[in-house]
Structure formats: structure tokens, C-alpha cells
Amino acid sequence: MASKVSFKGKGKAAAKGADERSAAKCMKEWSTWAMKKAKVITHYGFIPLIIVIGMNSEPKPQLYQLLSPV
Amino acid sequence: MGSNVRHTNEPQQPALGLAAVLPPKQDEKAEPAKVDWLNLPCPVPFEEIQREAFMSLKPELFEGLRFDFTKGLNQKFSLSHSVFMGSTELPSQSSDTIKVPTAHYEFGANFLDPKLMLVGRVLADGRLNARVKCDLTDNLTLKINAQLTNEPHFSQGMFNFDYKGKDYRTQFQIGNNAFYGANYIQSVSPHLSLGSEIFWLGQQRKSGIGFAARYNTDKMVATAQIASTGILALSYVQKVSEKVRNLLKFLENFNAQNLYSHKKFWHLQVSLASDFMYNHLTRDVTSSFGYDYILRQCRLRGKLDSNGVIAACLEERLNMGVNFILSAEVDHRKKDYKFGFGLTVGE
């Protein structure tokens, strides 16, 4: 009896351990996915972000000044 | 007791003897001020401990043509276009130098605010170089530095959190490849500051610790750094300005015609720097000596190395906002000669 109880206890612990491991794995996969998306967004969006912030700062520059060399 | 009485009487005595005849000494050697140990100045950041030495000894040398154009749209916002045509050196294991001819165009945008600084540079092949500096509060600063490429696994990024205290500074760094670092620097006297740093590289399971000291006065800066990676680095920078200017003025009066063209020497600031580096693991010893002349119209930097390298870099101001740059590096040991020229337009 005692051995049966202990065997069941071990099975439950093993199941819990597997749950925790898969939860950690899930977190790691999601965080890797999030980092990849963040990297792509930064890569394409950083310079446009600076330009948008700059064009909205005071005194507001005109749009043609972005392209003309004067 | 007697000595104490004499000490307090001294300032009240009228000037006697020779002191009455000679003019009072100029304030060059003022009475040493009493040190206020509770109000020490804030030290320089840990990574800038050798800033003065690097300015003289590591100028931006390049090979080929360089053209930079910076267009300001606003006090805070500017765009920059940069063209480079020349050779870049590839790191090689053997003693031969491998040079690859490259040409690229780089577009950049800068936004500079007292509280927020955004700098981005993108090359034509898609590599992005981004720097962000944000003052979260009066004392806490966040700095982000990233190089992003299209190729996977080649991008790098680093987050730095800086905290500035009354007479100390501390920094915490998080980088990619599980890099964690921290450093701390404290002023222990009005001239001396001591600091230390630790770092941990996750991917290679390496860690290190280092210590640094910096002693500076108005005229000189001396630093020492030692790290558990087996590197010892010492540097010394001396500023020479007033005396040299007086000497040149004297020479000009003496031989007015020849030296009239050297009018630009009147505003002169000279720094002399020397540097010593010892790497225990590779048994590599390097020492270098350099100078930095800041004149009104130009800036000339040069250095001489124990590896047989002589380098010089000249930035001459031709007109308001137009700078002409010349760079030369001659490596006698490897027989590698690099010469470059360029023009910088805009602030």
C-alpha cells in the first residue's frame, strides 16, 4: 500500500515537473518570437521614427527640407 | 603651543622685507583650499576614464575618400549623408594585411534634445547602427546601442542603465548573447577616483573583474586599469598651453616677418599623451606616444607606437562649416601604408 501511494506520488511529481518544463519552454519560445519581431520592427522603423519625431519638434521644418540639399 | 600661536598670527602681520618690495604673486599658486571631504566632485563615467588619452592616441584614421554632409533642419533635428570609397582591412590570422576595396553610402538622422538623443545610421546594404540616450530622471539615464543586420545572428545590442550619485557613478549593462556587466566609480579625493567593473558572458561562460584608478588635475590626467582578462593599461596625458603660447609670442616679436603667417598659433592648446598596455595572456606589450594640437583653424593629432606605427590626422577648417580631413598611417613592421582624405560639410 505504501509503495502504491509512493508510486502515485512520484507519478504526480513527474507530471508536475513536465508541466513546469513545458511552461518554461513556452515562455522561452514566445520571448524568442517577441525578440525576433522587435528586431525586425526596430530595423525598419528606427530611422522613420527619428524622422517623425524630428519633423514634429519645434520649430516645425517644412517637408521639402527633407529632400533638398540647401 | 608656541607653534600654534605663530600659525594664527601669520596672516595678520604686515608685509615685511622682500615681500613689500616684490609685486604680489599672481594667483597661479593659490593657497591650497581646504578639502571638503563631504562635497567631492562627481567622477567621469567608468568607460570614459581614459577619454583624454584616447582623444590623442586613437584618432579616426581611414583609407580612401570620405565625404560627410550634415544638413540641419532644426536646432534639434538633422540628416546626414556620408559617402566612403576606399579599402577596409579584414582581420587576418597571419601577419599579412588583407584589404578589401569597399564603397558605401550611409544615411543618418539625428535628434538631439537635452533629455532624449536618437542617432540612427543606415548603410545601403541594410545595416542599421542605432544609439538612444534617454534621461529617465535627473540621475538615471538609459542608453541603448545596437547594430542590426539582415543576416541572422550577426546583430548586437546593449542596454546600459547609468545612475549618477553625488560623488559616485554606477552602471548596469545587459547585452545580447547573455552579456551582463556592472561598474562603479567613486571619488575618494578632489583629484583621485577609483572604480571597478565585473562582467559575465553567458554564451561562453566567462566572467571577469577589473579595477581602475584616475588621478587628474587641471594640467594632467593619469589613469591605470587592470583586468582579470590579463590586461594592464596605464596612460598619462599632460596639457601644455599657456607657456607654449607665451614662447611663441616672444619668438614672433623676435622675428616678426617670418612668424606673421603663424598667427593661428595664438590660440593654442596642446595635449601630450602616452600609453602603456600589457597583455599577460599573449605576452604583448605596446606603448605609444601622441600629441594633440588644437589650434584656431585646425586640429592636428599624431601618434608614434612601439609596434612601428606612425599615424597622423589633420582636420582643417576651410570655411564656416567646411572641414578638410587628412589621415595617414604608416606601419613599418607590416609594410602597410594608409592614406585618406575627405571633406566634412555642415556642423
Side-chain angles (χ1 to χ4, degrees), chain B residues 66 77 84 93 101 103 120 133 153 158 163 185 200 211-212 216 219 255 269 280 342:
Chain B
R66 205 178 98 179
F77 178 49
F84 175 76
Q93 306 294 348
K133 175 170 154 320
H153 302 302
M158 179 98 84
Y163 183 76
I185 182 165
W200 188 66
F211 297 97
N216 71 332
K219 300 265 177 197
N255 193 350
Q269 188 191 317
H280 186 71

Side-chain angles (χ1 to χ4, degrees), chain B residues 113-117 133-142:
Chain B
D113 198 39
K115 289 213 158 190
L116 174 67
M117 181 188 96
K133 175 170 154 320
C134 177
D135 288 344
L136 300 173
T137 73
D138 263 346
N139 291 334
L140 184 62
T141 306
L142 164 66

Side-chain angles (χ1 to χ4, degrees), chain B residues 224-297:
Chain B
Q225 246 181 320
I226 185 165
S228 73
T229 49
I231 294 186
L232 167 70
L234 310 167
S235 81
Y236 178 77
V237 178
Q238 173 87 37
K239 289 184 208 166
V240 176
S241 48
E242 290 293 325
K243 294 179 190 164
V244 185
R245 182 166 79 177
N246 288 342
L247 169 67
L248 285 169
K249 263 197 164 167
F250 166 73
L251 288 176
E252 177 178 313
N253 292 337
F254 188 67
N255 193 350
Q257 274 176 346
N258 285 357
L259 287 176
Y260 185 76
S261 58
H262 291 251
K263 212 171 159 182
K264 52 179 144 184
F265 279 68
W266 285 356
H267 282 268
L268 176 64
Q269 188 191 317
V270 181
S271 293
L272 303 171
S274 66
D275 170 86
F276 173 80
M277 214 238 343
Y278 170 63
N279 191 335
H280 186 71
L281 299 172
T282 62
R283 295 275 190 266
D284 196 17
V285 176
T286 306
S287 74
S288 57
F289 170 72
Y291 60 88
D292 184 359
Y293 282 63
I294 301 183
L295 310 171
R296 196 165 30 160
Q297 300 282 87

Side-chain angles (χ1 to χ4, degrees), chain A residues 47-69:
Chain A
I47 299 257
L49 171 77
I50 301 182
I51 293 181
V52 162
I53 293 180
M55 294 300 276
N56 286 336
S57 64
E58 294 300 323
K60 272 208 187 142
Q62 304 285 327
L63 200 53
Y64 72 90
Q65 282 180 306
L66 264 182
L67 298 170
S68 88

Side-chain angles (χ1 to χ4, degrees), chain B residues 7-28:
Chain B
H7 176 72
T8 48
N9 269 347
E10 226 166 276
Q12 283 113 21
Q13 266 181 0
L16 297 172
L18 208 54
V21 175
L22 291 175
K25 228 181 195 176
Q26 290 301 325
D27 226 2
E28 247 184 47

